[in-house]
């Protein structure tokens, strides 16, 4: 079960609304949705939750690049809504790496030969297409290096990922964010002083 809500900051406090994500397919779509409810280009938080599995926060401040935090990347990767937040940049991959891998898979038959070529030993995929980039930048959550991701170098690691300080200026510290699990939105709304307006739309 999914739940999504928008919290928009105004001069009089926060305004809350629930939202449907049926027409949202990309991060750009989600960012546009947030900017549409922004008041004077003030902060808008988009909260997405899959019950008992993961939650994600998208923060949009005017025309600035959106900031993202996901509580469990591997769980979110199994969700169509989670995939919206798990960009190549957030995962530390080269932009377009996923498209390149998909293109290679289409070119190579199951026996490892390319279309039109005789059968032969499987040809290894390009290392540039299968090697993920390294660690995230400062103030971002780094997935557990000991987490079991199997042999797939492009597997999404378990654990939190994204900007840990995404809500620090609103009173939710990095440590607080990492400890949030179920019903995280309630605790975030309490910290923002938006519990009452949120309850009205839940």
């Amino acid at each position: 079960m999914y739940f999504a809500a928008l919290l928009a900051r105004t001069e009089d406090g926060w305004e809350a609304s629930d939202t449907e994500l049926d027409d949202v397919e990309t991060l750009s779509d989600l960012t546009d949705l947030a900017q549409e409810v922004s008041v004077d280009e003030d902060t808008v938080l988009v909260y997405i939750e899959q019950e008992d599995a993961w939650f994600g926060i998208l923060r949009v401040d005017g025309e600035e690049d959106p900031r993202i935090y996901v509580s469990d990347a591997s769980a979110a990767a199994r969700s169509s809504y989670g995939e919206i937040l798990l960009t190549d940049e957030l995962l530390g991959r080269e932009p377009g790496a996923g498209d390149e891998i998909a293109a290679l898979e289409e070119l190579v038959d199951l026996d490892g030969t390319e279309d039109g070529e005789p059968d032969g030993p499987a040809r290894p995929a390009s290392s540039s297409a299968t090697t993920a980039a390294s660690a995230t930048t400062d103030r971002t959550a780094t997935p557990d290096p000991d987490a079991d991701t199997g042999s797939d170098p492009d597997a999404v690691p378990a654990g939190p990922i994204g900007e840990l300080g995404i809500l620090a200026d609103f009173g939710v510290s990095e440590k607080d964010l990492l400890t949030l699990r179920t019903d995280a939105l309630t605790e975030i709304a309490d910290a923002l002083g938006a519990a009452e307006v949120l309850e009205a739309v839940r």
Side-chain angles (χ1 to χ4, degrees), residues 8 20 26 30 52 69 135 141 145 147 159 161 196:
E20 295 294 333
T26 66
L30 194 59
D52 298 329
Y69 173 79
I161 193 169
E196 290 186 6

Side-chain angles (χ1 to χ4, degrees), residues 47 49 53-55 57 69-72 160 164 166-167 171-191:
Y47 178 92
E49 174 187 276
W54 65 275
F55 71 88
I57 301 168
Y69 173 79
V70 176
S71 65
D72 189 327
L164 292 174
I166 191 170
L167 299 176
V172 182
S173 69
E174 297 179 6
K175 181 180 179 180
D176 292 337
L177 192 62
L178 288 171
T179 58
L180 295 178
R181 290 294 181 268
T182 59
D183 206 16
L185 181 56
T186 297
E187 296 189 43
I188 291 172
D190 282 341

Side-chain angles (χ1 to χ4, degrees), residues 3-160:
F3 175 75
L6 286 87
L7 291 169
R9 189 168 65 169
T10 72
E11 291 182 352
D12 300 321
W14 292 87
E15 292 182 353
S17 59
D18 58 355
T19 185
E20 295 294 333
L21 301 178
D22 294 344
D23 296 328
V24 175
E25 298 181 354
T26 66
L27 181 62
S28 179
D29 292 339
L30 194 59
T31 301
D32 289 344
L33 187 67
Q35 290 175 334
E36 286 175 4
V37 301
S38 176
V39 178
D40 296 328
E41 298 190 349
D42 211 334
T43 302
V44 176
L45 303 176
V46 182
Y47 178 92
I48 303 173
E49 174 187 276
Q50 183 179 4
E51 189 174 7
D52 298 329
W54 65 275
F55 71 88
I57 301 168
L58 174 76
R59 175 172 175 169
V60 177
D61 295 283
E63 297 298 323
E64 295 181 13
D65 291 338
R67 299 156 66 184
I68 301 170
Y69 173 79
V70 176
S71 65
D72 189 327
S74 62
R78 296 189 289 272
S79 158
S80 58
Y81 297 135
E83 289 180 341
I84 294 173
L85 299 176
L86 296 176
T87 63
D88 287 335
E89 181 180 3
L90 193 69
L91 293 170
R93 295 173 176 170
E94 291 294 332
D99 294 338
E100 186 176 354
I101 293 169
L104 285 171
E105 290 174 346
E106 290 181 2
L107 287 173
V108 180
D109 294 331
L110 292 177
D111 61 1
T113 61
E114 294 188 7
D115 292 342
E117 289 189 355
D119 293 345
R123 299 175 61 176
S126 166
S127 60
S128 65
T130 58
T131 302
S134 59
T136 54
T137 59
D138 292 342
R139 296 185 64 209
T140 60
T142 303
D144 183 357
D146 297 323
D148 182 14
T149 58
S151 59
D152 184 2
D154 295 293
V156 178

